[in-house]
Amino acid sequence: MTDTSSHLMQAYARQPVAFVRGSGASLWDADGVEYLDAMAGVAVTSLGHAHPDIAAAIAEQAGLLLHTSNLFRIDWQERLGERLCALAGMERAFFCNSGAEANEAALKLARLHARRARVAQPQVLVMDNGFHGRTLATLAATGNPAAQRGFEPLMPGFVRVPYDDIGAVRRAAAEAPDIVAVLVETVQGEGGVRAAGAAYLRELRALCDRHGWLLMADEVQTGMGRTGAWFGYRHAGVVPDVVTLAKGLGNGFPIGACLARGPAAALFSPGGHGSTFGGNPLACRVGCAVIDVMAREQLPQRAAVLGRRLLAALRAALHGHPDVLAIRGQGLMIGIELDHPCAGLVGRALEQQRLLITVTRGNTLRLLPPLICSEAQIDDIAARVARLLDIDQT
Ligand SMILES: *Cc1c(COP(=O)(O)O)cnc(C)c1O
């Protein structure tokens, strides 16, 4: 393929491959070479590529109505709100177009919550190595100095503590009286595939109740079945006050959602927040179609089963590998932490194994396969990763 990228801003380090077609967990380039997708567009295409139900929903809605604006009632938006709230234990939804926007809505809810509690300089508690997006507010919430570099001054109003450390939250509560909310991932995806303990999340819930903080779960990556439950917090048996979603919700069609329950669900009033495209009929119909397929095929449960299978296969294949520090994960969100920087593995996986993977935190190979993978495809992913790391070793 000739390189015609000179008119694109250089925000990404791209692989020299372009795909022209996909089906399920397979992708093909223009030369007809087939690749196995173990990253699902970064936890987006959970139903696989070119899913017929999603394609049909898009095609039919495109022939009916794409956009009317939020100045009118939107039937598909109401339906998707109802379905997501029922699944998530929430009461009301606000729709937008991305994960960062969903978190912006959550952070604005935290500000309104603070106003109501008469806290003038509100702080949101966030975590080391957390990732919440690239807009200026979500970038400030993100615990990655490399992502923040060059964009200072960062938006104030965040207190950062180590992840999965309840003692650190207690100390922050004592030292920073103006905390009004906690924004937390149940599994840190960009932060190296680290799951918070169930006990930690339960204690976090209790601290939020005691102090009147909103518990805001960033489920942009973990939500919609990825971890083996519809939402990551379900593993811990807690219910947050605010939940943000995006990635898997549209299977590649852009959509984000901020869900809330209790007083947090009533904080926005007309004119208080908005999005031109957010919640349009097409995006919301796609979201409903994604839920239909996930529920019908029990994909959250399937992600749990396949995740256990993939973890076991990787542990067996990489047992005793000198470079592997840890193999961990929840559902189909799996990380293999190596003892050295391994960003180069992404290109080698493509070239040598025809396998799509990501590397996170510089040293962790991350697998996010579509939830519709067959057992054979899961075993194939493990085999290709094992070959990749064996070749890498020599
Ligand atoms: C990807 C991600 C985001 C940002 O989503 P965008 O759609 O890229 O804005 C936010 N939070 C988490 C946990 C994510 O993984």
Side-chain angles (χ1 to χ4, degrees):
M1 196 177 81
T2 53
D3 191 342
T4 50
S5 67
S6 62
H7 293 288
L8 303 181
M9 291 196 191
Q10 297 175 310
Y12 305 99
R14 299 180 196 269
Q15 296 299 323
V17 182
F19 303 105
V20 295
R21 184 168 71 84
S23 175
S26 293
L27 284 164
W28 288 268
D29 67 15
D31 297 327
V33 177
E34 182 174 352
Y35 293 77
L36 180 58
D37 184 359
M39 64 175 280
V42 197
V44 169
T45 51
S46 292
L47 308 183
H49 301 286
H51 193 286
D53 291 33
I54 304 306
I58 291 172
E60 196 188 17
Q61 193 59 37
L64 288 172
L65 190 65
L66 291 182
H67 177 85
T68 54
S69 90
N70 283 298
L71 300 177
F72 305 96
R73 285 183 61 180
I74 301 173
D75 181 49
W76 283 107
Q77 187 182 127
E78 293 176 16
R79 288 199 222 182
L80 183 58
E82 182 181 19
R83 298 195 65 186
L84 283 176
C85 285
L87 288 168
M90 296 290 125
E91 290 167 16
R92 290 180 187 273
F94 175 85
F95 289 102
C96 49
N97 314 288
S98 69
E101 277 179 83
N103 287 329
E104 288 277 345
L107 292 168
K108 287 178 88 170
L109 289 178
R111 288 283 175 93
L112 293 176
H113 175 67
R115 195 53 42 91
R116 207 168 264 201
R118 299 183 184 285
V119 177
Q121 297 291 325
Q123 308 284 324
V124 174
L125 196 79
V126 291
M127 308 298 160
D128 283 346
N129 300 321
F131 184 82
H132 302 293
R134 303 285 197 160
T135 62
L136 282 170
T138 60
L139 184 66
T142 287
N144 178 353
Q148 294 170 336
R149 198 163 301 135
F151 299 108
E152 300 86 356
L154 298 175
M155 195 185 101
F158 295 99
V159 175
R160 193 174 307 283
V161 293
Y163 185 57
D164 203 17
D165 178 348
I166 202 68
V169 179
R170 288 212 182 86
R171 285 190 294 279
E175 287 162 17
D178 289 346
I179 293 170
V180 294
V182 179
L183 180 62
V184 64
E185 296 156 272
T186 59
V187 183
Q188 287 187 331
E190 304 310 302
V193 191
R194 291 180 185 277
Y200 169 78
L201 291 173
R202 284 195 285 269
E203 288 179 66
L204 206 50
R205 176 70 271 179
L207 281 176
C208 285
D209 290 338
R210 179 166 339 134
H211 293 288
W213 304 340
L214 296 179
L215 179 57
M216 310 199 299
D218 179 344
E219 294 263 358
V220 168
Q221 188 161 153
T222 50
M224 302 307 292
R226 173 59 50 190
T227 68
W230 277 98
F231 305 99
Y233 55 83
R234 295 299 196 190
H235 295 290
V238 300
V239 184
D241 303 293
V242 176
V243 177
T244 58
L245 298 173
K247 293 195 166 95
L249 179 54
N251 205 53
F253 196 89
I255 179 170
C258 175
L259 314 176
R261 70 181 175 104
L267 287 169
F268 283 145
S269 48
H273 192 43
S275 163
T276 297
F277 295 139
N280 68 71
L282 180 58
C284 291
R285 180 161 181 180
V286 171
C288 286
V290 167
I291 292 173
D292 283 340
V293 176
M294 288 210 166
R296 185 179 73 219
E297 298 179 11
Q298 303 196 329
L299 292 182
Q301 295 90 322
R302 183 146 177 85
V305 172
L306 292 179
R308 279 193 293 273
R309 185 181 182 102
L310 184 50
L311 263 185
L314 290 168
R315 284 182 176 140
L318 298 173
H319 181 78
H321 193 294
D323 299 353
V324 175
L325 295 180
I327 303 174
R328 57 176 173 258
Q330 197 177 53
L332 281 176
M333 198 170 171
I334 289 177
I336 304 169
E337 185 178 346
L338 303 182
D339 65 357
H340 57 82
C342 63
L345 278 180
V346 173
R348 288 203 287 285
L350 275 174
E351 220 173 283
Q352 299 168 355
Q353 304 299 330
R354 304 283 182 240
L355 179 70
L356 277 72
I357 59 165
T358 60
V359 165
T360 168
R361 272 196 71 66
N363 68 348
T364 302
L365 189 164
R366 176 176 48 168
L367 300 172
L368 300 160
L371 314 188
I372 47 78
C373 276
S374 65
E375 276 82 358
Q377 283 170 324
I378 289 293
D379 297 346
D380 195 359
I381 290 170
R384 292 189 202 202
V385 167
R387 286 201 295 274
L388 174 71
L389 292 181
D390 276 341
I391 294 167
D392 192 49
Q393 216 184 320
T394 54

